């Protein structure tokens, strides 16, 4: 479901369809949140669709991703069902996390989506852990961690990149640089022009791409995946993008000027990509309208499903918190001592 070939006309149309589906999902979520139907907070992905779709189109279905608090687009790009996503936003039993996670904590391990996360920078350690699992099991897959520009200042992110680089783990770190960490401009948070330059500290490739261009993101992630699967370790990608809405719905956005937002909206990734396909003779106005209508219908169906889904019973609040049994756990350090594959006192692994 995730993988599509943007080298083909059908693949490019599918990428456009996915971007439109993400746009309509988040437009609808924003409206319903404003109406008081959706509890908690929502952080919309509108404007950044090319990053999620371009990246996930380069992955195989069994690859892992970790997400952020702004994860609706990642979920749809990875192939999650908007019905169960919307049900999760509504706190319903049929949601991906039985209504307990809400917007910021959607996860579907079976689909390789290891979870959105409300903690800034929490995804990369999970991605590195997933990559270590892949290596230990000898599997042919990779992990990709989405993170924001603000997360690049988090210590746990650098720990994750350092470990992945030192152990040559098959993981990709993809920074969605939307130029603001909440309300702080990126240049006031970091002392480098390009966040990809931080990769040099760990001797891994760091590249910056146009995050408003779905094909540019796709090509970068394809190359990074090939590198990871060849045993050459992680890649650090920075995708320059922009969120058209505030940090969260209700954000007064006092930290940026309207003309700046309009300049970025003029580069809307959906408009730009659809116009490119039309210029190439691969898409007509009528076909574009059909894709829009399909996306709207998909999200309308998801909304109706979520609104009519059952509420969880109060006594279900503590379900899924603990397993029926606690298995015997062998630590990684114990394994190393047992098989003599390394030292655990700070020496070589």
């Amino acid at each position: 479901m995730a993988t599509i070939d943007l080298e083909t006309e059908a693949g490019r149309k599918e990428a456009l369809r996915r971007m439109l589906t993400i746009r309509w999902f988040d437009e609808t979520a924003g409206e319903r949140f404003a109406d008081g139907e959706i509890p908690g907070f929502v952080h919309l992905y509108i404007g950044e669709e090319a990053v999620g779709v371009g990246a996930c189109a380069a992955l195989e279905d069994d690859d892992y991703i970790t997400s952020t608090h702004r994860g609706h687009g990642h979920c749809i790009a990875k192939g999650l069902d908007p019905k169960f996503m919307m049900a999760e936003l509504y706190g319903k039993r049929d949601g991906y996390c039985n209504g307990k996670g809400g917007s910021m904590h959607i996860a579907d391990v079976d689909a390789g989506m290891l979870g959105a996360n409300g903690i800034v920078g929490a995804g990369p350690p999970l991605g590195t852990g997933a990559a270590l699992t892949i290596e230990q099991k000898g599997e042919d897959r990779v992990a990709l961690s989405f993170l924001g520009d603000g997360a690049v200042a988090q210590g746990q992110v650098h720990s994750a990149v350092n470990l992945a680089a030192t152990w040559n783990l098959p993981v990709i770190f993809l920074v969605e640089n939307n130029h603001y960490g909440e309300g702080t401009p990126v240049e006031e948070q970091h002392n480098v022009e390009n966040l990809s330059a931080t990769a040099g500290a760990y001797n891994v490739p760091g590249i910056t791409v146009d995050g408003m261009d779905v094909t540019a993101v796709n090509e970068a992630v394809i190359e990074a995946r090939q590198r990871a699967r060849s045993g050459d370790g992680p890649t650090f990608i920075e995708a320059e993008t922009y969120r058209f809405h505030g940090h969260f719905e209700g954000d007064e956005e006092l930290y940026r000027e309207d003309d700046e937002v309009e300049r970025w909206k003029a580069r809307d990734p959906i408009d730009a990509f659809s116009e490119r396909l039309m210029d190439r003779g691969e898409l007509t106005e009528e076909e574009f309208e059909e894709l829009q209508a399909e996306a709207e219908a998909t999200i309308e169906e998801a909304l109706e499903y979520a609104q009519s889904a059952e509420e969880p019973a109060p006594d279900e609040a503590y379900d899924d918190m603990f397993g029926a049994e606690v298995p015997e756990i062998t630590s990684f350090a114990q394994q190393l001592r047992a098989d003599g594959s390394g030292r655990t006192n700070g020496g070589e692994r």
Side-chain angles (χ1 to χ4, degrees):
M1 178 62 185
T3 307
I4 52 177
D5 185 0
L6 268 68
E7 292 293 320
T8 68
E9 180 177 328
R12 289 187 284 273
K13 287 182 178 178
E14 173 61 19
L16 179 59
R17 186 192 68 79
R18 292 189 193 183
M19 287 196 286
L20 286 166
T21 302
I22 293 168
R23 178 68 59 89
W24 280 108
F25 184 96
D26 266 7
E27 292 280 9
T28 301
E31 291 170 1
R32 297 302 172 170
F33 175 79
D35 290 342
E37 289 187 26
I38 294 176
F41 273 109
V42 293
H43 302 74
L44 304 184
Y45 200 61
I46 295 171
E48 302 184 39
E49 296 91 350
V51 183
V53 172
C56 289
L59 302 178
E60 297 295 333
D61 289 346
D62 61 352
D63 287 337
Y64 295 115
I65 67 169
T66 70
S67 184
T68 68
H69 58 284
R70 200 180 306 282
H72 303 161
H74 306 150
C75 290
I76 292 173
K78 191 64 170 73
L80 271 64
D81 192 324
K83 296 198 305 294
F84 305 131
M85 288 174 58
M86 194 69 78
E88 186 61 35
L89 265 63
Y90 270 76
K92 298 299 183 69
R93 177 183 288 162
D94 290 346
Y96 271 108
C97 300
N98 305 117
K100 297 176 182 178
S103 170
M104 288 191 284
H105 298 95
I106 297 175
D108 182 9
V109 176
D110 291 338
M113 169 54 173
L114 302 185
N117 208 308
I119 299 173
V120 176
L126 299 177
T128 294
L132 177 60
T133 298
I134 291 168
E135 185 194 62
Q136 293 291 304
K137 290 186 174 181
E139 296 174 333
D140 184 22
R141 59 172 78 179
V142 304
L144 183 147
S145 286
F146 291 98
L147 62 151
D149 49 277
V152 177
Q154 293 290 324
Q156 61 188 345
V157 171
H158 291 269
S159 294
V161 177
N162 179 63
L163 188 64
T166 302
W167 288 0
N168 272 346
L169 298 178
V171 58
I172 303 162
F173 301 99
L174 179 50
V175 180
E176 296 178 306
N177 181 2
N178 61 33
H179 296 275
Y180 290 93
E182 295 195 11
T184 305
V186 66
E187 60 268 18
E188 296 181 15
Q189 303 176 65
H190 306 283
N191 196 34
V192 291
E193 182 176 353
N194 292 317
L195 298 181
S196 59
T198 61
Y202 307 105
N203 197 29
V204 301
I207 60 173
T208 298
V209 299
D210 182 0
M212 307 301 272
D213 183 345
V214 66
T215 57
V217 176
N218 181 251
E219 290 168 0
V221 176
I222 287 174
E223 184 177 345
R225 188 184 189 281
Q226 291 172 342
R227 183 174 186 277
R229 290 311 316 140
S230 297
D232 294 327
T235 302
F236 193 96
I237 302 171
E238 173 191 17
E240 290 197 279
T241 183
Y242 200 83
R243 50 174 165 81
F244 293 170
H245 285 231
H247 171 65
F248 59 89
E249 288 305 277
D251 183 357
E252 295 182 1
E253 301 184 62
L254 301 177
Y255 48 86
R256 60 184 187 177
E257 301 295 333
D258 291 343
D259 62 345
E260 175 186 300
V261 179
E262 291 307 312
R263 285 197 305 272
W264 278 95
K265 284 185 175 180
R267 298 187 57 210
D268 187 310
I270 293 176
D271 291 346
F273 191 52
S274 61
E275 289 169 7
R276 193 189 315 169
L277 297 186
M278 289 180 191
D279 289 343
R280 295 170 65 163
E282 297 179 357
L283 183 73
T284 65
E285 287 282 358
E286 182 180 355
E287 289 173 325
F288 181 62
E289 291 173 2
E290 289 174 356
L291 289 173
Q292 285 183 308
E294 180 184 345
E296 289 184 56
T298 297
I299 302 310
E300 183 62 32
E301 180 184 353
L303 179 63
E304 292 175 359
Y305 180 87
Q307 289 172 327
S308 61
E310 291 185 8
E311 300 275 356
D315 60 7
E316 296 176 20
Y318 296 101
D319 289 353
D320 304 317
M321 292 184 67
F322 302 99
E325 298 180 2
V326 178
E328 182 178 347
I329 298 175
T330 302
S331 72
F332 187 51
Q334 289 173 319
Q335 293 179 38
L336 293 176
R337 285 194 294 267
D339 63 18
S341 60
R343 302 205 307 274
T344 62
N345 60 353
E348 296 180 359
R349 174 171 166 264

